[in-house]
Amino acid sequence: MWYKDADNDGYGETGAATLTQCLRPVNYKAASELTATTGDCNDSNAAIKPGAAEVCDGVDNNCNSMTDEGALNTYYADVDADGFGNPASSTQACSQPGGYVANNTDCNDNNAIEKP
């Protein structure tokens, strides 16, 4: 029995049909050659597989059906543009969105004069 692993990352492609034949088909491996016979959610990219490090890129890098978990940064709204963020208004993103800052130390985000 052969399992599809087109990107050679050691994980069989989830949902791919297995093949039973004597000769090895192209892009297929025996179970003994794989870490797991299924689990690869992107069999065209060897960096995307179960257990891979999640990076902030909008892709499910570790095949757990979640995107960018643990890789997002928290940013705080800076309505008064004083460089200090509102601790009560935050968002998570890969990179800093406009109107947000990395700190949450503004005591009055409606007045640029009031700040730490």
Side-chain angles (χ1 to χ4, degrees):
M1 186 168 291
W2 302 98
Y3 301 88
K4 187 174 182 190
D5 182 20
D7 60 8
N8 292 308
D9 63 3
Y11 291 86
E13 179 180 351
T14 298
T18 58
L19 298 176
T20 303
Q21 61 188 53
C22 295
L23 297 175
R24 176 192 303 267
V26 175
N27 296 325
Y28 281 75
K29 292 191 168 41
S32 62
E33 299 172 297
L34 297 169
T35 301
T37 57
T38 64
D40 195 342
C41 59
N42 183 339
D43 204 31
S44 63
N45 184 334
I48 298 174
K49 61 187 173 193
E54 191 69 43
V55 295
C56 216
D57 60 0
V59 174
D60 178 13
N61 303 100
N62 57 9
C63 298
N64 68 351
S65 299
M66 295 188 297
T67 303
D68 298 336
E69 75 281 359
L72 296 170
N73 297 309
T74 302
Y75 298 99
Y76 301 90
D78 184 17
V79 174
D80 59 10
D82 63 0
F84 298 91
N86 181 347
S89 180
S90 66
T91 189
Q92 290 195 318
C94 292
S95 58
Q96 185 173 325
Y100 284 79
V101 295
N103 71 71
N104 65 349
T105 56
D106 203 338
C107 56
N108 184 348
D109 201 33
N110 292 314
N111 185 338
I113 296 172
E114 290 185 43
K115 58 188 171 192

